């Protein structure tokens, strides 16, 4: 178990100005080249830009972002950084499945669209959309532990199957929205079977199961597809985020990229499409966003930390359906052990400061 770490250098936002070109400071080397940081005690700053030996020169404010966090400042290099947006898919946040428009996931989506994504693109930070996207083979080989998280349909004998109700999913990822399961005799849904915004509750029977038809905002009906399988409506991005992704694909240099994952973490095991891409591109610093903070985002962040990537959580660009303490736990550990915690406005400020210095 990792010790509880207390930051010995409390940050002072009111005095924490970008004085890199005017004030020399002692810098300590942390780690071994080439995966190393530099640290300055006054003001407390971690340099994550991997400066070259033997001088380990401090990066210019014209080519690096000074980012305020909840514990100290960090310096990041846009060319070595990616914004990793996790699971902002229809299944998790679409109002057409009963997700509240003012819910945590959709609030995070607005922070991404209004602030984080524009700032990242201005700075030249790569945007990665890391999403569930399963194949038939992956469903076939999915372990029981992961199946349980999304609900399951147990193999029963015929008599037991006839008596059994729908599979129950107690995991927060589903937000009680899926297939309508009960109607009264008049054909109307009982009020107890509606979500808080009046949509019918649904119940899924596991990854790869069909979720049935979905009525869109314009009144048209689409096939929701098999749960979190590739190329389905439920695994696609909601319209505004999808438009942003398509705009990002048009960027000439470092366009947005979509990467499929097949577990809650997109960086689990010895190798995944995400880890392969990050290593190929030489990306060292990851800005994490998406849903759910304490599940897929937190799992991916912890695996990234374990494998040596720099981890920065954009807390207002993340959301969860879990109780508040779940997010607080992730943020507390991220700030003190796994990396750093900041928000979209701080990222935007850091990018604007870098651009104004040029």
């Amino acid at each position: 178990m990792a010790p509880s770490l207390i930051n010995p250098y409390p940050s002072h936002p009111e005095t924490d100005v970008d004085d890199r070109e005017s004030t020399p400071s002692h810098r300590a080397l942390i780690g071994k080249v080439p995966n190393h940081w530099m640290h300055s005690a006054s003001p407390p700053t971690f340099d994550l830009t991997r400066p070259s030996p033997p001088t380990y020169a401090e990066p210019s404010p014209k080519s690096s972002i000074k980012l305020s966090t909840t514990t100290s400042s960090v310096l990041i290099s846009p060319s070595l950084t990616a914004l990793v947006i996790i699971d902002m898919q229809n299944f998790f946040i679409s109002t057409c499945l009963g997700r509240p428009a003012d819910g945590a996931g959709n609030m995070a989506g607005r922070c991404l669209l209004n602030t984080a994504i524009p700032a990242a693109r201005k700075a030249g930070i790569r945007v990665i959309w890391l999403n569930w996207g399963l194949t038939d083979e992956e469903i076939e080989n999915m372990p029981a532990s992961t199946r349980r998280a999304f609900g399951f349909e147990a193999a029963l004998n015929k008599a037991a199957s006839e008596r059994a109700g729908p599979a129950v999913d107690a995991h927060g990822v589903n937000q009680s929205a899926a297939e309508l399961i009960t109607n009264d005799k008049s054909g109307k849904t009982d009020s107890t079977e509606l979500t808080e915004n009046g949509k019918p509750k649904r119940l899924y029977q596991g990854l790869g199961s069909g979720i049935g038809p979905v009525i869109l905002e314009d009144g048209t009906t689409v096939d929701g597809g098999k749960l979190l399988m590739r190329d389905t409506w439920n695994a696609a991005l909601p319209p505004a985020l999808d438009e942003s992704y398509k705009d990002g694909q048009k960027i000439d240099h470092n366009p947005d990229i979509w990467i499929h994952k097949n577990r809650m973490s997109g960086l689990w095991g010895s190798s995944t499409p995400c880890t392969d891409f990050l290593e190929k591109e030489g990306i060292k610093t990851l800005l994490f966003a998406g849903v759910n903070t304490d599940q897929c985002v937190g799992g991916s962040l912890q695996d990234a930390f374990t494998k040596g990537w720099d981890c920065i959580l954009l807390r207002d660009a993340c959301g969860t359906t879990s109780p508040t303490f779940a997010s607080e736990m992730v943020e507390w550990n991220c700030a003190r052990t796994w990396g750093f915690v900041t928000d979209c406005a701080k990222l935007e400020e850091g990018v604007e400061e870098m651009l104004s210095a040029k």
Side-chain angles (χ1 to χ4, degrees):
M1 182 173 67
S4 298
L5 300 181
I6 299 176
N7 177 27
Y9 309 113
S11 61
H12 302 284
E14 67 278 3
T15 60
D16 194 10
V17 297
D18 197 342
D19 55 0
R20 284 177 275 171
E21 292 190 333
S22 59
T23 306
S25 61
H26 173 72
R27 283 157 56 84
L29 175 66
I30 303 175
K32 183 179 179 181
V33 178
N35 198 16
H36 60 291
W37 294 355
M38 303 299 293
H39 181 257
S40 303
S42 182
T45 304
F46 288 92
D47 178 358
L48 316 184
T49 64
R50 276 48 174 202
S52 299
T55 61
Y56 302 101
E58 195 164 357
S60 167
K62 298 179 182 180
S63 59
S64 61
I65 299 169
K66 188 169 188 179
L67 185 61
S68 297
T69 77
T70 58
T71 50
S72 63
S73 292
V74 297
L75 303 177
I76 63 174
S77 170
S79 64
L80 300 179
T81 302
L83 170 60
V84 183
I85 304 172
I86 298 174
D87 291 353
M88 297 295 285
Q89 296 164 278
N90 280 322
F91 174 68
F92 296 104
I93 63 174
S94 175
T95 57
C96 300
L97 290 179
R99 317 314 196 198
D102 60 351
N106 282 303
M107 289 175 64
R110 287 190 284 275
C111 287
L112 283 166
L113 289 169
N114 296 335
T115 309
I117 293 174
R121 289 181 179 153
K122 278 186 180 181
I125 292 172
R126 196 71 177 266
V127 179
I128 297 172
W129 303 80
L130 180 59
N131 295 315
W132 280 97
L134 299 170
T135 64
D136 289 331
E137 182 180 1
E138 288 169 338
I139 288 290
E140 180 69 21
N141 296 310
M142 191 67 65
S145 57
T146 305
R147 287 179 177 272
R148 172 183 176 268
F150 288 86
F152 62 93
E153 197 166 24
L156 304 171
N157 61 39
K158 183 177 180 181
S161 179
E162 290 174 350
R163 296 192 304 271
V168 175
D169 172 24
H171 204 279
V173 293
N174 284 359
Q175 281 185 268
S176 298
E179 212 51 59
L180 178 63
I181 58 171
T182 57
N183 288 74
D184 63 21
K185 292 182 180 180
S186 65
K188 296 180 180 179
T189 305
D190 184 272
S191 60
T192 61
E193 296 303 324
L194 298 176
T195 61
E196 61 271 25
N197 59 352
K199 297 284 187 178
K201 289 183 179 180
R202 299 167 179 244
L203 201 64
Y204 299 113
Q205 296 185 344
L207 294 168
S209 64
I211 73 169
V214 178
I215 301 175
L216 304 183
E217 298 293 343
D218 63 3
T220 60
T221 301
V222 298
D223 180 6
K226 294 182 179 180
L227 185 55
L228 296 180
M229 299 287 283
R230 296 184 187 186
D231 303 319
T232 59
W233 176 88
N234 77 88
L237 301 172
L241 289 165
D242 186 57
E243 182 179 357
S244 178
Y245 165 64
K246 289 175 179 175
D247 288 343
Q249 287 186 300
K250 300 173 186 175
I251 298 173
D252 292 333
H253 182 64
N254 289 338
D256 287 21
I257 183 170
W258 183 298
I259 300 178
H260 296 294
K261 66 184 180 73
N262 59 12
R263 295 292 191 278
M264 285 196 170
S265 169
L267 296 90
W268 71 284
S270 60
S271 175
T272 68
C274 185
T275 59
D276 291 346
F277 177 81
L278 296 173
E279 291 170 355
K280 178 175 70 73
E281 296 294 315
I283 294 170
K284 303 297 185 183
T285 303
L286 306 179
L287 305 171
F288 281 95
V291 295
N292 282 313
T293 310
D294 52 318
Q295 295 160 12
C296 294
V297 176
S300 297
L301 188 151
Q302 289 179 67
D303 281 340
F305 160 74
T306 299
K307 294 182 177 183
W309 276 281
D310 316 332
C311 299
I312 303 174
L313 184 72
L314 296 179
R315 59 182 175 186
D316 57 341
C318 298
T320 185
T321 57
S322 302
T324 303
F325 63 75
S327 292
E328 291 174 347
M329 180 279 296
V330 173
E331 292 180 18
W332 195 93
N333 279 288
C334 188
R336 291 162 176 80
T337 303
W338 304 327
F340 306 92
V341 177
T342 189
D343 57 42
C344 296
K346 292 293 192 298
L347 174 62
E348 183 180 53
E349 291 169 9
V351 169
E352 292 301 328
E353 287 179 7
M354 179 187 71
L355 296 177
S356 64
K358 291 186 176 182

